[in-house]
Amino acid sequence: MISNAIWALITFGGRRLLPRAAASNPRIRRNWALLLLAAVALVLVLAIVLLRALAADDRWYWPMLALALVWSLAISFGELKRYWGAGLSGADPEIRRGLTYEGSLRLVKRELAFLGTGADKLSRTDEFGKALHRCRSDVPIRLLLRRPTDPTLAAAALRAHKAPNEYRDNVVESLRKI
């Protein structure tokens, strides 16, 4: 019961720490996730060792420990590897509480892929040009943006209480810079 309580504390405490740690740099989130995974594994090992010390028949505890550790690590790393392999280090539910546009551009080292409306908030920064220059010449820079003629831009502007052409103008200006 004590090990379960510690495990829950690590797991739920970690869920609160991870978003805060990733606000300045999403790569920190990976380190925190690995640290939490190691803490959970340590609690599991200690629980099984304690069970072994308290029980007379210990032939099942070490295989159980090995199976539990392999299972936990395989599932955790399998999930994390998919995201990290795609270059995703973290995600913020809201930009204003997470990584800034300039901060995200400073993290660009070899390649850039962006999916958005017009990349206006990115292209407005001084860091945008620097990020483009850091990209490898043999890897294409990928930007998937809306066409300036897309009617949803005017509808989105109206929903945001902006002038109907403001978003279209932002996309045009962004494309000009790009």
Side-chain angles (χ1 to χ4, degrees), residues 23-37:
S24 62
N25 186 342
R27 291 185 179 119
I28 293 173
R29 185 180 182 101
R30 180 186 319 175
N31 296 339
W32 272 103
L34 292 173
L35 180 66
L36 289 172
L37 183 60

Side-chain angles (χ1 to χ4, degrees), residues 17-93:
L17 287 175
L18 282 175
R20 291 185 185 139
S24 62
N25 186 342
R27 291 185 179 119
I28 293 173
R29 185 180 182 101
R30 180 186 319 175
N31 296 339
W32 272 103
L34 292 173
L35 180 66
L36 289 172
L37 183 60
V40 168
L42 178 65
V43 169
L44 181 62
V45 168
L46 291 175
I48 291 177
V49 168
L50 184 62
L51 282 173
R52 184 177 184 270
L54 296 175
D57 186 11
D58 66 348
R59 66 179 171 201
W60 293 107
Y61 293 108
W62 289 113
M64 196 168 89
L65 169 66
L67 181 63
L69 280 176
V70 168
W71 177 74
S72 296
L73 291 173
I75 289 174
S76 299
F77 280 115
E79 287 297 310
L80 293 174
K81 187 178 176 185
R82 291 187 311 145
Y83 297 108
W84 295 342
L88 184 62
S89 299
D92 294 314

